[in-house]
Amino acid sequence: MVEALRQVDDWQVENAAIAAVAASGLLATYGETDGVYLWASVTKLLTAYAALVAAEEGTIDLDEPAGPPGSTVRHLLSHASGLPFQAGQPVGRPGARRVYSNPGIELVAEIVAARAEMPFERYLAGAVLEPLEMRAELRGSPAADLFGSLDDLVRFAHELLEPRLIAPETLVEATSVQFRGLAGVIPDLGRFDPNDWGLGFELKDGKHPHWSGSRTSPRTFGHFGGSGTFLWVDPEPALALACLTDRDFDAWAMEAWPKLSDAVLAEAQNGHV
């Protein structure tokens, strides 16, 4: 597994930190694990997880009205509300297509904050970050502005492999297709039909090519960020790969990330951990 991670030496990045994680614990790392990076859209996973905690507590209801008429919290979390990528009027009716939306995720955070009667960053800290002993900090948008280390992302990855903050069945629901069959565009990646999504989690399913590579199973879920970050979790081998860099996502990532992911899985399947 360490050999696979050495591919990062060929990436044209100033700084990078990578970790392979199993349910049993950390398998291998590359780079400084305590350096702080902007997680960009990987932030959405943490915000969604806080919303799942809030739903289990009864603070919110996933199926309560929220956003445009006909939309619910569930629509917002799964990018199916019709709200646009950035602030603006709806660009479609709820449930019609997958429209990736930062405002949709931010609205979920606003609802949680209002119901919990505290700023969302405080709720996120109390519900997710502190219980997982994460030192990450939300410094702006709940859709894009979490700052944290690889150590932090590893702790969250382990939670997704063996949930303890939410019920396992809640995570299963969150990583299952919401509003099946919707087509849509993943920003900077392309159009997929269907463009399957869970509750905050992007789902690989049949997408090809995919940033998590060709060896990850269709059950793989996670997210990537425009700052050159990603986290995927594949329940079949019970393996996660976490990546933080300081180079913005573009064509380099779609060449490097799948190759790395495939090598990590190949080594894991061959018992080279």
Side-chain angles (χ1 to χ4, degrees), residues 108-196:
V108 171
E110 290 176 15
I111 293 167
V112 171
R115 298 290 176 75
E117 299 182 336
M118 66 178 70
F120 181 74
E121 55 268 26
R122 204 167 105 207
Y123 186 89
L124 175 65
V128 180
L129 304 181
E130 292 168 2
L132 296 181
E133 299 181 352
M134 296 172 63
R135 300 175 69 180
E137 180 182 4
L138 186 62
R139 301 178 187 173
S141 168
D145 290 330
L146 194 71
F147 286 76
S149 67
L150 183 66
D151 289 332
D152 291 323
L153 194 53
V154 164
R155 288 183 173 91
F156 184 60
H158 195 264
E159 167 69 16
L160 296 178
L161 287 163
E162 288 196 332
R164 60 186 179 89
L165 301 187
I166 60 175
E169 53 267 31
T170 299
L171 182 59
V172 169
E173 179 183 3
T175 56
S176 300
V177 182
Q178 306 292 310
F179 309 104
R180 188 173 296 275
L182 301 187
V185 172
I186 300 179
D188 300 320
L189 201 58
R191 185 178 187 277
F192 294 91
D193 188 2
N195 184 14
D196 288 337

Side-chain angles (χ1 to χ4, degrees), residues 227-257:
S227 59
T229 59
F230 73 76
L231 172 64
W232 60 250
V233 178
D234 189 342
E236 293 200 0
L239 189 71
L241 189 63
C243 170
L244 299 174
T245 80
D246 55 6
R247 181 180 178 184
D248 286 353
F249 177 91
D250 59 25
W252 77 269
M254 279 305 294
E255 178 179 351
W257 293 354

